[in-house]
């Protein structure tokens, strides 16, 4: 039997694209089961990396490595995740969903088990890379499972929910990762990650997806493109992840990595540009609509990094994760509310207004946070973080659908769209984090210099502050000179704290400005489309007259 032979499908069963499952009718209980499995699979695809990302300082201590070394863990995940999306679509199309599912889940399980017995940075990086590869597969797999739970007329809502499930990984990781560290230190994180992978594997084996069409998809030049594109993206991820730590202009290897990334990615795009059946349709990706979509996702992802900036602000004030539990509960509630609201209101006609609405909410949240002081606590940031979490999940579904409509019209562009969306999402997150932390460092140096310039012992207020701090140590330190030095050090620490707060406020303000600028750009484009659509067409007589004039002109020439 030829597995690549076209199959006969009922109209409602026909798979949307080769490599995707068919959509037969299911009883209500089976639909609920598909929805639950989709949630587990999608969450597994992102939760492991989220657990590592929010606990990098603790993992750094347990592994005994420097900050520049531990930063390779999230970088390795993004490197593998982005690169594998280049081949995964064709893998599904040629070898089917079942092999696709089992292979990458088993890879994830094996790598996690191995890391439990090999304690070191190299094994941790290998696990992150394996998770990046399997995460790219699980995100799509979770979406397919969720779509089985919805009938045809509600499938757009299913897309929004399926894409949104993976976004719950980060707030969930912040909510309970401290307990996992208390149970088993770093092994507690990896044991939970292993448990989620085994649970997802058991679920997909017990409830497989319906079969779909398979086609012969791979070509030899696909692997040549991958051999250039994957290391090029890896070098770019390394620059974005470590540039702010080793600093952009002080580590020569960053420049060499960036140059190598440009050469390798350009070589891959040149190969694709001149292929008859390209893996990446460069002409389609360079159209105005796709460039606008990529820019929109990239800018919104940069705005979303305000949430991580809030964590940085609270940590600079001495807050630990245990003191922010209420904040993470509110953030999780905002994310769930954003997914629900997006699913209920999704419509092709509302996509552009939905994106602008999400950005308005995120801009309001950023501007609210830009007035922080040393007295701010998580309770004062509940409203702003709810708005940011709501907007962050509200925008994702409409953005995905706005580009996927073009893919359904031209299925051969599925890989191009998948890669573009993944790059904009993942690299946008890395770029946003790099920009936010770099701006914070620069502004902290500026504010620190401004504050220190006014701190002189000739100022009576400064002298009184130093004396007060020294007097507080009178019962513990007997040497007056040492007490005075401790008082000066305490004043310096206070100045550094205030400089950091002012720098984070500048970051929040800059993020708010980026959000407003993005809204203005989207609004101008939306109004232009409305004006173009409303422009009246010339009457038939005028069209005929124009045609005759054109013919006469061509004849006379």
């Amino acid at each position: 039997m030829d597995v690549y032979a076209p199959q006969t499908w009922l109209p409602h069963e026909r798979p949307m694209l080769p490599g995707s499952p068919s959509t037969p009718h299911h009883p209500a209980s089976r639909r609920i089961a598909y929805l639950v499995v989709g949630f587990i699979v999608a969450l597994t695809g992102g939760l492991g990396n989220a657990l590592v990302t929010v606990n990098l300082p603790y993992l750094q201590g347990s592994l005994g490595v420097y900050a520049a070394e531990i930063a390779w863990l999230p970088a390795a995940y993004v490197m593998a995740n982005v690169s594998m999306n280049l081949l995964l679509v064709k893998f599904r199309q040629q070898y089917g969903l079942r092999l696709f599912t089992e292979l990458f889940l088993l890879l994830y399980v094996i790598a996690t088990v191995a890391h439990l017995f090999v304690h070191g940075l190299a094994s941790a990086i290998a696990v992150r890379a394996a998770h990046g590869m399997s995460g790219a597969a699980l995100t799509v797999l979770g979406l397919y499972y969720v779509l089985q739970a919805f009938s045809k007329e509600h499938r757009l809502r299913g897309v929004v929910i399926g894409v949104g499930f993976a976004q719950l990984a980060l707030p969930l990781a912040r909510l309970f990762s401290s307990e996992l560290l208390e149970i088993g230190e770093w092994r507690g994180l990896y044991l939970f990650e292993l448990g989620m992978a085994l649970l997802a594997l058991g679920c997909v084996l017990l409830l497989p997806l319906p079969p779909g069409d398979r086609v012969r998809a791979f070509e030899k030049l696909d692997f040549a493109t991958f051999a250039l594109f994957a290391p090029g993206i890896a070098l770019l991820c390394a620059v974005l992840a470590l540039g702010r730590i080793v600093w952009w202009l002080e580590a020569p290897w960053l420049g060499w990595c960036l140059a190598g990334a440009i050469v390798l990615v350009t070589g891959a795009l040149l190969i694709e540009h001149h292929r008859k059946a390209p893996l990446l349709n460069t002409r389609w990706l360079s159209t105005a609509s796709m460039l606008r979509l990529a820019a929109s996702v990239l800018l919104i992802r940069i705005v979303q990094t305000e949430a991580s900036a809030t964590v940085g602000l609270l940590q600079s004030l001495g807050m630990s994760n245990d003191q922010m539990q209420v904040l993470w509960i509110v953030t999780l509630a905002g994310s769930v509310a954003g997914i629900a609201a997006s699913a209920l209101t999704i419509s092709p006609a509302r996509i552009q207004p939905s994106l602008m609405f999400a950005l308005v909410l995120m801009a309001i949240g950023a501007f609210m946070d830009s007035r922080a002081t040393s007295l701010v606590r998580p309770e004062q940031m509940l409203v702003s973080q709810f708005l940011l979490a709501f907007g962050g999940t509200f925008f994702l579904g409409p953005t995905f659908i706005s580009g996927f409509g073009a893919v359904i019209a031209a299925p051969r562009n599925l890989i191009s769209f998948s890669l573009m969306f993944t790059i904009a999402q993942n690299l946008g997150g890395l770029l946003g984090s790099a920009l936010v932390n770099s701006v914070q460092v620069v502004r902290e140096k500026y504010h620190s210099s401004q504050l220190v310039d006014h701190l002189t012992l000739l100022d009576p207020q400064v002298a009184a502050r130093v004396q007060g701090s020294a007097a507080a140590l009178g019962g513990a330190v007997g040497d007056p000179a040492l007490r005075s030095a401790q008082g000066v050090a305490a004043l310096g620490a206070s100045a550094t704290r205030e400089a950091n707060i002012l720098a984070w406020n500048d970051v929040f303000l800059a993020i708010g400005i980026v959000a407003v600028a993005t809204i203005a750009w989207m609004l101008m484009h939306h109004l232009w489309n409305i004006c173009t659509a409303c422009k009246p067409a010339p009457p038939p007589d005028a069209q005929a007259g124009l045609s005759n004039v054109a013919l006469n002109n061509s004849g006379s020439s």
Side-chain angles (χ1 to χ4, degrees):
M1 178 180 177
D2 185 8
V3 296
Y4 301 112
Q7 300 186 51
T8 303
W9 304 101
L10 295 175
H12 68 276
E13 294 180 336
R14 187 175 303 280
M16 187 180 303
L17 298 166
S20 62
S22 55
T23 54
H25 291 309
H26 301 294
S29 59
R30 197 172 183 86
R31 288 185 184 276
I32 294 173
Y34 273 120
L35 184 64
V36 172
V37 173
F39 174 74
I40 293 172
V41 171
L43 200 61
T44 302
L47 191 56
N49 185 62
L51 288 171
V52 170
T53 301
V54 302
N55 292 291
L56 278 182
Y58 304 103
L59 289 172
Q60 180 185 344
S62 65
L63 293 173
V65 295
Y66 295 103
E69 294 174 313
I70 200 67
W72 283 101
L73 295 186
Y77 174 87
V78 178
M79 290 175 186
N81 188 275
V82 173
S83 301
M84 283 306 296
N85 274 283
L86 194 62
L87 296 181
L88 284 179
V89 174
K90 283 197 171 184
F91 188 95
R92 291 199 309 272
Q93 292 175 343
Q94 183 156 332
Y95 297 107
L97 281 164
R98 189 170 185 83
L99 179 61
F100 166 83
T101 303
E102 295 172 359
L103 177 64
F104 285 99
L105 268 172
L106 282 174
L107 171 66
Y108 186 18
V109 170
I110 291 170
T112 308
V113 170
H115 185 57
L116 290 173
F117 295 97
V118 183
H119 180 51
L121 181 64
S123 62
I125 292 175
V127 172
R128 288 303 101 217
H131 187 201
M133 289 186 284
S134 58
L138 293 179
T139 302
V140 178
L141 191 65
L143 175 60
Y144 284 152
Y145 268 95
V146 171
L147 288 178
Q148 294 296 319
F150 290 86
S151 57
K152 184 176 181 180
E153 58 269 21
H154 298 298
R155 204 150 286 158
L156 276 183
R157 293 185 171 88
V159 171
V160 173
I161 294 173
V163 173
F165 275 162
Q167 305 305 306
L168 302 179
L170 191 59
L172 280 172
R174 294 192 187 280
L175 194 58
F176 62 78
S177 59
S178 297
E179 285 73 16
L180 295 177
L181 289 169
E182 291 174 2
I183 293 171
E185 296 182 345
W186 65 271
R187 283 185 174 85
L189 298 179
Y190 284 104
L191 283 171
F192 183 82
E193 188 176 356
L194 174 62
M196 287 294 297
L198 291 172
L199 177 62
L201 180 60
C203 288
V204 299
L205 292 177
L206 287 173
L207 187 66
L209 285 169
D213 287 324
R214 290 168 61 180
V215 295
R216 291 182 176 88
F218 280 115
E219 299 178 9
K220 292 180 179 179
L221 275 179
D222 294 341
F223 300 99
T225 298
F226 183 79
L228 292 173
F229 187 84
I233 288 295
L235 291 174
L236 181 58
C237 290
V239 172
L240 293 176
L242 279 89
R244 63 184 177 85
I245 298 174
V246 300
W247 204 245
W248 308 99
L249 303 178
E250 295 183 7
W253 66 267
L254 289 176
W256 289 109
C257 286
L258 188 58
I262 293 172
V263 171
L264 290 170
V265 173
T266 302
L269 293 178
L270 283 174
I271 291 176
E272 293 302 300
H273 191 74
H274 293 95
R275 285 179 65 180
K276 292 182 179 179
L279 187 66
L280 292 174
N281 190 343
T282 55
R283 291 174 177 83
W284 183 72
L285 286 174
S286 59
T287 58
S289 59
M290 287 298 105
L291 290 176
R292 280 195 302 270
L293 178 62
S296 300
V297 175
L298 189 67
L299 288 169
I300 293 175
R301 285 291 289 157
I302 291 174
V303 173
Q304 277 188 291
T305 55
E306 203 272 357
S308 62
T310 302
V311 177
L313 168 66
L314 294 175
Q315 287 177 342
S316 68
L317 292 172
M319 300 285 116
S320 65
N321 194 50
D322 292 337
Q323 296 170 287
M324 298 185 248
Q325 291 299 295
V326 175
L327 181 62
W328 305 142
I329 293 173
V330 171
T331 301
L332 179 62
S335 299
V336 173
I339 295 171
S342 182
L344 291 173
T345 60
I346 189 66
S347 166
R350 297 196 194 107
I351 285 177
Q352 204 68 12
S354 295
L355 295 179
M356 289 186 284
F357 175 69
L359 276 168
V360 167
L361 296 181
M362 288 191 280
I364 292 172
F367 286 130
M368 289 175 66
D369 287 344
S370 66
R371 299 175 295 173
T373 66
S374 59
L375 299 177
V376 73
R377 294 295 179 267
E379 290 74 19
Q380 281 82 55
M381 309 187 86
L382 297 180
V383 175
S384 62
Q385 292 307 299
F386 181 89
L387 293 176
L388 284 157
F390 184 97
T393 53
F394 188 85
F395 96 94
L396 195 60
T399 306
F400 185 82
I401 290 170
S402 66
F404 202 74
V407 174
I408 296 175
R412 65 190 179 92
N413 293 326
L414 175 61
I415 301 174
S416 303
F417 171 74
S418 175
L419 188 67
M420 182 272 293
F421 195 80
T422 304
I423 287 178
Q425 275 278 93
N426 289 327
L427 291 189
L430 277 182
L431 178 61
S433 179
L435 289 175
V436 161
N437 286 278
S438 298
V439 170
Q440 195 275 335
V441 169
V442 172
R443 296 301 296 174
E444 188 275 332
K445 301 302 180 188
Y446 169 77
H447 288 299
S448 184
S449 66
Q450 295 295 310
L451 291 174
V452 171
D453 280 348
H454 296 86
L455 294 181
T456 171
L457 291 176
L458 298 177
D459 188 332
Q461 290 183 339
V462 174
R465 177 71 178 266
V466 171
Q467 289 174 2
S469 299
L473 299 171
V477 180
D479 187 352
L482 184 56
R483 286 202 303 268
S484 180
Q486 291 288 342
V488 172
L491 182 60
S494 298
T496 301
R497 185 191 66 233
E498 294 299 326
N500 271 296
I501 294 170
L502 291 172
W504 284 120
N505 285 343
D506 291 345
V507 167
F508 298 144
L509 186 61
I511 290 174
I513 292 172
V514 170
V516 171
T518 307
I519 295 167
W521 170 57
M522 287 184 174
L523 182 60
M524 287 169 51
H525 178 68
H526 186 58
L527 293 176
W528 173 262
N529 286 341
I530 292 175
C531 292
T532 305
C534 294
K535 189 175 180 179
D541 294 341
Q543 290 182 1
L546 289 173
S547 301
N548 293 332
V549 171
L551 289 172
N552 292 334
N553 289 338
S554 62
S556 61
S557 59

